[in-house]
Short mmCIF file of all heavy atoms in Angstrom, two decimals:
data_model
loop_
_atom_site.label_atom_id
_atom_site.label_comp_id
_atom_site.label_asym_id
_atom_site.label_seq_id
_atom_site.Cartn_x
_atom_site.Cartn_y
_atom_site.Cartn_z
N GLU Y 1 1.45 -20.91 3.67
CA GLU Y 1 1.46 -22.32 4.12
C GLU Y 1 2.61 -22.51 5.10
O GLU Y 1 2.41 -23.30 6.12
CB GLU Y 1 1.74 -23.20 2.93
CG GLU Y 1 0.49 -23.21 1.97
CD GLU Y 1 0.83 -24.00 0.67
OE1 GLU Y 1 1.99 -24.30 0.50
OE2 GLU Y 1 -0.10 -24.17 -0.18
N ALA Y 2 3.74 -21.88 4.97
CA ALA Y 2 4.87 -22.01 5.91
C ALA Y 2 4.49 -21.47 7.31
O ALA Y 2 4.80 -22.09 8.37
CB ALA Y 2 6.11 -21.24 5.44
N ILE Y 3 3.79 -20.30 7.34
CA ILE Y 3 3.34 -19.77 8.67
C ILE Y 3 2.38 -20.72 9.34
O ILE Y 3 2.48 -21.01 10.55
CB ILE Y 3 2.54 -18.41 8.36
CG1 ILE Y 3 3.65 -17.38 7.92
CG2 ILE Y 3 1.90 -17.93 9.71
CD1 ILE Y 3 2.99 -16.07 7.45
N LEU Y 4 1.41 -21.30 8.55
CA LEU Y 4 0.39 -22.19 9.21
C LEU Y 4 0.99 -23.49 9.58
O LEU Y 4 0.47 -24.11 10.49
CB LEU Y 4 -0.77 -22.39 8.26
CG LEU Y 4 -1.59 -21.09 7.91
CD1 LEU Y 4 -2.74 -21.42 6.91
CD2 LEU Y 4 -2.23 -20.57 9.26
N ASP Y 5 2.04 -23.93 8.92
CA ASP Y 5 2.72 -25.27 9.26
C ASP Y 5 3.38 -25.08 10.68
O ASP Y 5 3.34 -25.95 11.46
CB ASP Y 5 3.83 -25.61 8.17
CG ASP Y 5 3.11 -26.17 6.98
OD1 ASP Y 5 1.93 -26.61 7.07
OD2 ASP Y 5 3.84 -26.22 5.93
N GLN Y 6 4.02 -23.95 10.90
CA GLN Y 6 4.68 -23.62 12.13
C GLN Y 6 3.85 -23.22 13.29
O GLN Y 6 4.12 -23.36 14.45
CB GLN Y 6 5.90 -22.66 11.87
CG GLN Y 6 6.86 -23.12 10.92
CD GLN Y 6 8.05 -22.21 10.85
OE1 GLN Y 6 8.84 -21.93 11.71
NE2 GLN Y 6 8.18 -21.53 9.64
N MET Y 7 2.70 -22.55 12.86
CA MET Y 7 1.75 -22.04 13.87
C MET Y 7 0.37 -22.45 13.47
O MET Y 7 -0.45 -21.56 13.00
CB MET Y 7 1.88 -20.53 13.99
CG MET Y 7 3.27 -20.07 14.29
SD MET Y 7 3.44 -18.26 14.57
CE MET Y 7 2.58 -18.04 16.14
N PRO Y 8 -0.01 -23.73 13.58
CA PRO Y 8 -1.30 -24.22 13.07
C PRO Y 8 -2.54 -23.67 13.84
O PRO Y 8 -3.59 -23.79 13.34
CB PRO Y 8 -1.10 -25.73 13.32
CG PRO Y 8 -0.11 -25.89 14.37
CD PRO Y 8 0.86 -24.79 14.25
N HIS Y 9 -2.28 -23.08 15.00
CA HIS Y 9 -3.45 -22.58 15.71
C HIS Y 9 -4.04 -21.24 15.19
O HIS Y 9 -5.03 -20.74 15.52
CB HIS Y 9 -3.04 -22.37 17.24
CG HIS Y 9 -1.91 -21.34 17.40
ND1 HIS Y 9 -0.59 -21.65 17.19
CD2 HIS Y 9 -1.93 -20.08 17.81
CE1 HIS Y 9 0.16 -20.58 17.45
NE2 HIS Y 9 -0.65 -19.55 17.83
N LEU Y 10 -3.15 -20.63 14.28
CA LEU Y 10 -3.60 -19.33 13.62
C LEU Y 10 -4.64 -19.56 12.49
O LEU Y 10 -4.59 -20.63 11.86
CB LEU Y 10 -2.39 -18.59 13.12
CG LEU Y 10 -1.35 -18.06 14.13
CD1 LEU Y 10 -0.21 -17.40 13.38
CD2 LEU Y 10 -2.00 -17.19 15.17
N LYS Y 11 -5.50 -18.62 12.33
CA LYS Y 11 -6.40 -18.68 11.17
C LYS Y 11 -5.92 -17.57 10.23
O LYS Y 11 -5.66 -16.41 10.66
CB LYS Y 11 -7.79 -18.36 11.55
CG LYS Y 11 -8.41 -19.50 12.47
CD LYS Y 11 -9.81 -19.29 12.86
CE LYS Y 11 -10.37 -20.20 13.78
NZ LYS Y 11 -11.81 -19.93 14.24
N ALA Y 12 -5.77 -17.89 8.88
CA ALA Y 12 -5.17 -16.96 7.91
C ALA Y 12 -6.18 -16.67 6.80
O ALA Y 12 -6.99 -17.49 6.39
CB ALA Y 12 -3.90 -17.46 7.35
N SER Y 13 -6.10 -15.37 6.34
CA SER Y 13 -6.80 -14.90 5.19
C SER Y 13 -5.92 -14.08 4.32
O SER Y 13 -5.78 -12.88 4.57
CB SER Y 13 -8.10 -14.16 5.60
OG SER Y 13 -8.81 -13.61 4.45
N PRO Y 14 -5.38 -14.59 3.29
CA PRO Y 14 -4.47 -13.88 2.43
C PRO Y 14 -5.33 -12.78 1.70
O PRO Y 14 -6.53 -13.10 1.37
CB PRO Y 14 -3.90 -14.88 1.43
CG PRO Y 14 -4.15 -16.12 2.07
CD PRO Y 14 -5.41 -16.05 2.85
N TYR Y 15 -4.75 -11.66 1.31
CA TYR Y 15 -5.47 -10.63 0.66
C TYR Y 15 -4.62 -9.86 -0.33
O TYR Y 15 -3.38 -9.90 -0.29
CB TYR Y 15 -6.00 -9.64 1.74
CG TYR Y 15 -5.02 -8.82 2.37
CD1 TYR Y 15 -4.56 -7.57 1.81
CD2 TYR Y 15 -4.40 -9.22 3.50
CE1 TYR Y 15 -3.64 -6.80 2.47
CE2 TYR Y 15 -3.36 -8.38 4.17
CZ TYR Y 15 -2.95 -7.26 3.56
OH TYR Y 15 -2.01 -6.53 4.09
N ILE Y 16 -5.29 -9.24 -1.23
CA ILE Y 16 -4.72 -8.28 -2.17
C ILE Y 16 -5.49 -6.94 -1.88
O ILE Y 16 -6.69 -7.00 -1.70
CB ILE Y 16 -4.95 -8.65 -3.64
CG1 ILE Y 16 -4.19 -9.89 -3.99
CG2 ILE Y 16 -4.45 -7.54 -4.62
CD1 ILE Y 16 -4.42 -10.48 -5.37
N SER Y 17 -4.84 -5.84 -1.78
CA SER Y 17 -5.47 -4.63 -1.47
C SER Y 17 -5.05 -3.60 -2.55
O SER Y 17 -3.97 -3.56 -3.07
CB SER Y 17 -5.18 -4.08 -0.11
OG SER Y 17 -3.78 -3.84 0.03
N SER Y 18 -5.96 -2.53 -2.68
CA SER Y 18 -5.75 -1.48 -3.60
C SER Y 18 -6.52 -0.23 -3.21
O SER Y 18 -7.67 -0.37 -2.96
CB SER Y 18 -6.01 -1.88 -5.11
OG SER Y 18 -5.82 -0.76 -5.99
N GLN Y 19 -5.93 0.92 -3.22
CA GLN Y 19 -6.68 2.14 -3.03
C GLN Y 19 -7.40 2.41 -4.40
O GLN Y 19 -6.79 2.36 -5.45
CB GLN Y 19 -5.68 3.28 -2.67
CG GLN Y 19 -5.12 3.12 -1.27
CD GLN Y 19 -4.29 4.30 -0.96
OE1 GLN Y 19 -3.85 5.06 -1.79
NE2 GLN Y 19 -3.98 4.44 0.36
N VAL Y 20 -8.69 2.79 -4.27
CA VAL Y 20 -9.49 2.95 -5.46
C VAL Y 20 -10.36 4.22 -5.29
O VAL Y 20 -10.43 4.79 -4.18
CB VAL Y 20 -10.40 1.79 -5.69
CG1 VAL Y 20 -9.59 0.50 -5.93
CG2 VAL Y 20 -11.44 1.61 -4.53
N MET Y 21 -10.82 4.74 -6.47
CA MET Y 21 -11.78 5.78 -6.45
C MET Y 21 -13.12 5.19 -6.94
O MET Y 21 -13.13 4.45 -7.96
CB MET Y 21 -11.35 6.90 -7.40
CG MET Y 21 -10.05 7.60 -6.97
SD MET Y 21 -10.22 8.42 -5.40
CE MET Y 21 -11.30 9.76 -5.79
N LEU Y 22 -14.22 5.57 -6.24
CA LEU Y 22 -15.53 5.03 -6.63
C LEU Y 22 -16.30 6.18 -7.28
O LEU Y 22 -16.26 7.28 -6.79
CB LEU Y 22 -16.29 4.56 -5.45
CG LEU Y 22 -15.57 3.58 -4.48
CD1 LEU Y 22 -16.39 3.26 -3.23
CD2 LEU Y 22 -15.27 2.28 -5.24
N ARG Y 23 -16.93 5.89 -8.43
CA ARG Y 23 -17.67 6.91 -9.14
C ARG Y 23 -19.06 6.44 -9.53
O ARG Y 23 -19.23 5.31 -10.03
CB ARG Y 23 -16.93 7.28 -10.41
CG ARG Y 23 -17.46 8.56 -11.11
CD ARG Y 23 -16.70 8.90 -12.31
NE ARG Y 23 -17.04 8.02 -13.41
CZ ARG Y 23 -16.34 7.94 -14.64
NH1 ARG Y 23 -15.32 8.77 -14.81
NH2 ARG Y 23 -16.70 7.04 -15.54
N ARG Y 24 -19.97 7.25 -9.29
CA ARG Y 24 -21.38 7.08 -9.73
C ARG Y 24 -21.89 8.41 -10.14
O ARG Y 24 -22.14 9.30 -9.29
CB ARG Y 24 -22.23 6.36 -8.72
CG ARG Y 24 -23.56 5.98 -9.22
CD ARG Y 24 -24.45 5.35 -8.16
NE ARG Y 24 -25.66 4.81 -8.82
CZ ARG Y 24 -26.73 4.45 -8.10
NH1 ARG Y 24 -26.73 4.66 -6.80
NH2 ARG Y 24 -27.78 3.94 -8.77
N GLY Y 25 -22.28 8.62 -11.39
CA GLY Y 25 -22.66 9.94 -11.87
C GLY Y 25 -21.47 10.89 -11.71
O GLY Y 25 -20.36 10.67 -12.17
N GLN Y 26 -21.80 12.00 -11.00
CA GLN Y 26 -20.76 13.00 -10.81
C GLN Y 26 -20.15 12.84 -9.43
O GLN Y 26 -19.15 13.64 -9.13
CB GLN Y 26 -21.43 14.40 -10.91
CG GLN Y 26 -21.97 14.68 -12.23
CD GLN Y 26 -20.90 14.66 -13.36
OE1 GLN Y 26 -19.92 15.21 -13.19
NE2 GLN Y 26 -21.32 13.93 -14.46
N LYS Y 27 -20.54 11.90 -8.63
CA LYS Y 27 -19.98 11.73 -7.30
C LYS Y 27 -18.71 10.86 -7.36
O LYS Y 27 -18.73 9.76 -8.00
CB LYS Y 27 -20.99 11.06 -6.38
CG LYS Y 27 -20.51 10.96 -4.87
CD LYS Y 27 -21.56 10.48 -3.96
CE LYS Y 27 -22.50 11.55 -3.65
NZ LYS Y 27 -21.97 12.62 -2.89
N LEU Y 28 -17.61 11.24 -6.65
CA LEU Y 28 -16.40 10.53 -6.65
C LEU Y 28 -15.87 10.51 -5.18
O LEU Y 28 -15.77 11.51 -4.54
CB LEU Y 28 -15.37 11.29 -7.58
CG LEU Y 28 -14.16 10.59 -7.94
CD1 LEU Y 28 -14.43 9.39 -8.91
CD2 LEU Y 28 -13.14 11.53 -8.72
N GLU Y 29 -15.60 9.25 -4.65
CA GLU Y 29 -15.09 9.08 -3.38
C GLU Y 29 -13.94 8.07 -3.33
O GLU Y 29 -13.89 7.16 -4.17
CB GLU Y 29 -16.24 8.59 -2.45
CG GLU Y 29 -17.38 9.57 -2.20
CD GLU Y 29 -16.94 10.77 -1.37
OE1 GLU Y 29 -15.88 10.57 -0.62
OE2 GLU Y 29 -17.62 11.81 -1.38
N GLY Y 30 -13.02 8.21 -2.40
CA GLY Y 30 -11.93 7.24 -2.23
C GLY Y 30 -12.36 6.01 -1.37
O GLY Y 30 -13.24 6.21 -0.56
N ALA Y 31 -11.64 4.90 -1.59
CA ALA Y 31 -11.98 3.74 -0.75
C ALA Y 31 -10.74 2.77 -0.83
O ALA Y 31 -9.82 2.99 -1.57
CB ALA Y 31 -13.21 3.05 -1.31
N LEU Y 32 -10.87 1.73 -0.02
CA LEU Y 32 -9.76 0.70 -0.04
C LEU Y 32 -10.42 -0.64 -0.26
O LEU Y 32 -11.35 -1.05 0.55
CB LEU Y 32 -9.13 0.69 1.38
CG LEU Y 32 -7.91 -0.28 1.56
CD1 LEU Y 32 -6.81 0.04 0.65
CD2 LEU Y 32 -7.43 -0.19 3.01
N MET Y 33 -10.07 -1.23 -1.36
CA MET Y 33 -10.71 -2.56 -1.74
C MET Y 33 -9.74 -3.67 -1.42
O MET Y 33 -8.64 -3.64 -1.74
CB MET Y 33 -10.95 -2.45 -3.26
CG MET Y 33 -11.66 -3.73 -3.74
SD MET Y 33 -12.15 -3.74 -5.55
CE MET Y 33 -13.72 -3.03 -5.37
#
């Protein structure tokens, strides 16, 4: 909110991120969620 108050022309999207492993059956792959 402080960023947008001082720079209202910006568009913001807050996020949470986590490195994850995806598994289906025996297949395992890395990803970023």
Side-chain angles (χ1 to χ4, degrees):
E1 292 171 353
I3 292 171
L4 295 180
D5 283 344
Q6 296 183 68
M7 304 181 72
H9 61 284
L10 298 178
K11 295 179 182 177
S13 176
Y15 69 89
I16 298 173
S17 66
S18 177
Q19 292 183 340
V20 298
M21 297 296 293
L22 308 177
R23 190 180 75 188
R24 189 183 188 195
Q26 298 300 314
K27 185 175 283 294
L28 196 67
E29 294 288 342
L32 182 62
M33 179 175 275

